[in-house]
């Protein structure tokens, strides 16, 4: 053998003759081309699947954003309604507070018998009815147990038939609206002696 043939056999890189080299070259190129086409087709399928996954992920993200936005709107609407109710309640309490001196004058007139009959008695009764419809309650009961949350003790003295630490007499009527005390009743507390 010649040295060239020995090199060819040992290296395994080049075939023995040129015809075999020519035949294997197009086959390798055709296989490479077919493999490249299959890879591209597979990549196209992978790309379309990836695009579908991205689209469904995008839809899910948009749906989540829409649900989040809707929840924020519902919370905002509830907060606004709650704020309106509080503002309305504060406005009613403010009006009631400004009317307390007028109610004191009406109570004093009733106590003196000035509002027994006549047009002013009718007006006073209508005012009392309207204020009670708005939730205004009087704190003016004598004989109940003294409660520092709704009563303001001005005096302590013995009162007949009233036990100790009970309201003996209401000196100035107190008012409340629901759980809010607008003005504590000023009272005389019995000592029970």
């Amino acid at each position: 053998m010649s040295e060239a043939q020995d090199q060819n056999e040992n290296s395994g890189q080049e075939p023995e003759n040129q015809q075999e080299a020519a035949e294997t070259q197009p086959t390798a190129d055709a296989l490479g081309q077919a493999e490249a086409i299959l890879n591209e087709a597979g990549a196209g399928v992978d790309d379309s699947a990836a695009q579908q996954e991205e689209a469904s992920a995008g839809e899910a993200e948009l749906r989540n954003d829409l649900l989040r936005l809707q929840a924020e709107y519902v919370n905002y609407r509830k907060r606004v309604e709650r704020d309106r109710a509080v503002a309305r309640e504060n406005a009613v309490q403010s009006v009631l507070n400004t009317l307390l001196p007028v109610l004191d004058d009406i109570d004093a007139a009733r106590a003196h018998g000035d509002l027994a009959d006549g047009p002013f008695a009718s007006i006073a009764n209508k005012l009392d009815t309207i204020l009670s419809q708005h939730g205004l309650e009087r704190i003016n009961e004598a004989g109940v147990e003294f409660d520092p949350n709704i009563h303001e003790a001005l005096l302590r003295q013995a009162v007949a038939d009233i036990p100790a630490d009970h309201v003996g007499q209401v000196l100035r009527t107190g008012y409340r609206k629901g759980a809010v005390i607008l003005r504590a009743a000023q009272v005389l507390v019995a000592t029970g002696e």
Side-chain angles (χ1 to χ4, degrees), residues 73-112:
Y73 174 72
V74 168
N75 290 337
Y76 169 76
R77 193 176 75 215
K78 287 179 182 178
R79 186 173 58 249
V80 166
E81 289 172 3
R82 187 175 53 246
D83 291 346
R84 282 183 188 159
V86 167
R88 184 178 68 241
E89 189 66 26
N90 287 340
V92 169
Q93 287 178 8
S94 175
V95 169
L96 292 176
N97 277 327
T98 58
L99 289 176
L100 293 182
V102 174
L103 293 175
D104 289 339
D105 292 343
I106 290 173
D107 286 343
R110 276 193 186 121
H112 291 286

Side-chain angles (χ1 to χ4, degrees), residues 114-133:
D114 295 340
L115 290 179
D117 289 326
F120 289 117
S122 174
I123 291 171
N125 291 336
K126 285 180 184 177
L127 181 62
D128 285 340
T129 303
I130 289 170
L131 293 176
S132 66
Q133 288 174 351

Side-chain angles (χ1 to χ4, degrees), residues 1 5 9 17-18 26 28 40 54 66 82 87 90-92 95 98 108-109 127 129 134 149 168 176 180 184-185 193:
M1 270 209 232
Q5 286 177 346
E9 285 177 11
N17 60 29
Q18 293 297 332
E40 287 177 18
E54 287 177 15
L66 181 62
R82 187 175 53 246
N90 287 340
V92 169
V95 169
T98 58
L127 181 62
T129 303
H134 284 284
N149 295 317
R176 80 170 127 216
V180 178
E193 296 174 1

Side-chain angles (χ1 to χ4, degrees), residues 21-88:
E23 287 176 5
T24 57
Q25 183 85 21
T27 306
D29 286 341
L31 286 175
Q33 288 176 352
E35 200 172 83
I37 291 171
L38 289 175
N39 288 340
E40 287 177 18
V45 170
D46 289 342
D47 286 346
S48 65
Q51 288 174 353
Q52 288 176 353
E53 287 177 16
E54 287 177 15
S56 64
E59 288 176 16
E61 184 177 336
L62 289 174
R63 185 176 297 116
N64 289 338
D65 288 345
L66 181 62
L67 290 173
R68 190 176 317 108
L69 187 62
Q70 185 179 14
E72 287 176 6
Y73 174 72
V74 168
N75 290 337
Y76 169 76
R77 193 176 75 215
K78 287 179 182 178
R79 186 173 58 249
V80 166
E81 289 172 3
R82 187 175 53 246
D83 291 346
R84 282 183 188 159
V86 167
R88 184 178 68 241

